[in-house]
Amino acid sequence: MELTSLLDRCRQGDDLAWEAFVRQFERRVYSIASGYASSPDEARDLTQDIFVRLFETRGRWAEGEAFVPWMIRVARNLCLDQLRRKKARPPAEDIQADEMWDLTSPDADPEAALEATGRRRVVWRALRSLGHLSREVIQLKEIQGLSLEEVAAILRVPIGTVKSRSNRAMLELAEQILAERGES
C-alpha cells in the first residue's frame, strides 16, 4: 500500500491500516529505540511507547514524504525524554541473570547467531562510545537512511556540520571497532 494512502487510512481510524503501518515501521522504530536503550527489553518498551504516541497523534501527522523524518524525530525525542526520566529515577534493582536460565534461542544455528550477536555488540559498544552528535548522525544517516538535509533538520544543525561530522564519526567508529576487537 502506498504510504500516503496508508497514512490517510490510519488518520481515519482504520484498524487494518494501523496494523499495516506498525508492521511497515516496527523495525525502523525499534532500531531507533535500541540506539538509546540499555537493553533489548527497554528498546521494545520504547518502541511500544513510540507507537502509542503515534497512534494518539495520528490526526497531526506530517504529510507525504515529510512523514518519515517527522516520525523519526518523534521517536528520537521520546527516547531522549525516557533517558532523562531514567537518569532522574534509577531502577531500584536489576534482574538477576540466573533467573533467566530457561530461555531458549529460536535460531537454527546457535553458533552463527552467537557470532552475529557478538559482532553487533562490538558495533553498538563502539557506537555508544562516540560523542552524542556523532552517534546520532551515524544512526540517522547510516542506519535510518535519511538524507543529509533530513538529518540536519532533525538535529537542528547546519548541513555542513552533518557532512563533516558524518565523515569524522565513521572514522571514529571504525577506530573504536578495531579497538574493541583488539586490532588497533
Side-chain angles (χ1 to χ4, degrees):
M1 177 181 307
E2 182 186 314
L3 181 61
T4 305
S5 172
L6 179 64
L7 297 178
D8 288 341
R9 287 181 53 198
C10 285
R11 283 186 197 103
Q12 295 167 4
D14 184 335
D15 291 336
L16 291 175
W18 175 251
E19 184 178 337
F21 172 83
V22 171
R23 288 186 190 277
Q24 182 171 341
F25 290 106
E26 66 187 337
R27 287 186 181 192
R28 184 172 232 175
V29 171
Y30 178 79
S31 174
I32 294 165
S34 66
Y36 293 93
S38 59
S39 71
D41 288 335
E42 185 179 357
R44 282 190 286 276
D45 289 345
L46 277 169
T47 300
Q48 185 174 358
D49 291 346
I50 291 165
F51 278 112
V52 167
R53 176 69 56 91
L54 289 170
F55 183 80
E56 291 170 345
T57 62
R58 66 188 182 276
R60 300 186 311 257
W61 285 354
E63 297 290 330
E65 291 184 18
F67 175 77
V68 172
W70 175 85
M71 180 190 70
I72 290 171
R73 188 176 312 118
V74 168
R76 174 184 171 264
N77 289 342
L78 283 171
C79 291
L80 291 173
D81 289 346
Q82 176 66 19
L83 285 176
R84 285 185 205 107
R85 280 193 301 273
K86 188 177 174 182
K87 285 181 183 176
R89 285 188 233 155
E93 67 180 69
D94 290 333
I95 297 173
Q96 298 299 318
D98 59 351
E99 293 176 12
M100 298 185 281
W101 61 271
D102 63 340
L103 297 178
T104 59
S105 172
D107 298 327
D109 183 6
E111 274 186 50
L114 181 63
E115 188 176 316
T117 300
R119 285 192 303 265
R120 278 193 300 275
R121 282 188 181 140
V122 167
V123 171
W124 281 110
R125 271 196 309 267
L127 192 59
R128 285 196 173 110
S129 72
L130 299 180
H132 180 72
L133 183 59
S134 296
R135 184 174 55 248
E136 285 198 307
V137 167
I138 288 177
Q139 189 170 13
L140 294 172
K141 182 176 175 281
E142 303 300 332
I143 297 173
Q144 295 302 318
L146 297 179
S147 70
L148 292 170
E149 294 81 11
E150 291 167 331
V151 173
I154 288 172
L155 298 178
R156 294 186 176 110
V157 297
I159 194 164
T161 301
V162 173
K163 287 179 184 178
S164 65
R165 182 58 66 171
S166 175
N167 291 331
R168 198 170 329 134
M170 291 302 285
L171 291 173
E172 289 175 31
L173 181 63
E175 289 171 3
Q176 288 295 331
I177 289 172
L178 291 175
E180 282 277 335
R181 294 178 64 197
E183 297 177 16
S184 52

